[in-house]
Amino acid sequence: MHSTQQLRLMQLASSSLPVGAFTWSQGLEWAVEIGWVTGVDDFSDWQIQQMEHNFFTVDMPLLARLYRACEQDDLAAARRWTAYLLACRETRELRDEERSRGIAFTRLVTDWEPGCSPQWRALFSESQLCGMAWLGVRWKIPLTELALSFGYSWIESAVMAGVKLVPFGQQAAQRLIISLCDRYAQGLAQALACPDICLGSSTPLAAIASARHETQYSRLFRS
């Protein structure tokens, strides 16, 4: 990649990207409330489970499929995989998060790439993942680098939620980011190559936590 592509990739990974990622905990808030996550080690275990049995089996394989659909300008395939992604979000809050981030990301894409067709923009509003794939193809960012950027953003957002909820300090947060990134880098290639038969989430406790969060009495986060 040349320098401009690298800088754009850093922008996509930035925690200041205005898509509202900091407002969602993806069930962690209930997991802390009920006592499933009580410290740094519990949090690390929780996130590794989310990574290996959800992010690596849903988000990353679907990013690869959406990226290929965007390369081929295959709107029908992109619609199919976007619908599949939403179907893998087991609770109302998780589906709301997917669409909320997608709508925010669509505003960015519309500003950055005003020539993007209305049909593609409609898909981006359903899922940020589709918008990321389209933008990666448009900016000629290789899939692996795009997946690394998106994964880092996911890890950082989760750890920052942990800082507020568990809680733990910033030094522990930075150690967690390093260890989770190492785990992520080790599994990424296999995740991107995940076959159709292995697609799907297997994190039932996270789904329960998200569902229970919908009626949690005191909440900092939207999920």
Side-chain angles (χ1 to χ4, degrees), residues 75-146:
L75 194 62
R79 283 197 184 103
R80 181 170 70 253
W81 292 121
T82 299
Y84 191 100
L85 176 64
L86 286 168
C88 289
R89 302 310 193 209
E90 299 104 318
T91 68
R92 176 182 56 80
E93 283 189 348
L94 293 176
R95 289 188 293 275
D96 285 350
E97 176 181 3
E98 197 67 49
R99 291 190 172 102
S100 176
R101 291 170 63 133
I103 290 168
F105 197 76
T106 302
R107 289 195 290 267
L108 294 175
V109 175
T110 301
D111 183 49
W112 295 339
E113 297 288 343
C116 178
S117 73
Q119 293 90 343
W120 280 105
R121 289 201 304 268
L123 271 185
F124 305 162
S125 66
E126 291 290 301
S127 168
Q128 180 187 353
L129 204 63
C130 188
M132 287 282 287
W134 187 90
L135 207 54
V137 171
R138 176 73 174 177
W139 288 351
K140 296 181 171 58
I141 297 171
L143 172 60
T144 299
E145 280 71 16
L146 187 68

Side-chain angles (χ1 to χ4, degrees), residues 22-68:
F22 66 92
T23 65
W24 307 89
S25 82
Q26 300 181 337
L28 178 65
E29 189 162 21
W30 172 261
V32 172
E33 174 78 14
I34 202 66
W36 292 346
V37 177
T38 60
V40 171
D41 291 341
D42 287 343
F43 175 84
S44 179
D45 290 344
W46 177 268
Q47 284 306 130
I48 288 170
Q49 289 292 313
Q50 310 316 307
M51 182 189 299
E52 295 186 347
H53 300 289
N54 190 339
F55 209 72
F56 278 171
T57 58
V58 175
D59 297 69
M60 288 302 96
L62 293 184
L63 176 63
R65 285 158 174 77
L66 287 165
Y67 189 93
R68 288 192 290 269

Side-chain angles (χ1 to χ4, degrees), residues 177-200:
I177 289 174
I178 287 175
S179 65
L180 291 171
C181 282
D182 286 346
R183 193 89 173 217
Y184 184 79
Q186 291 167 11
L188 179 60
Q190 185 176 355
L192 291 174
C194 179
D196 288 357
I197 196 171
C198 296
L199 290 175

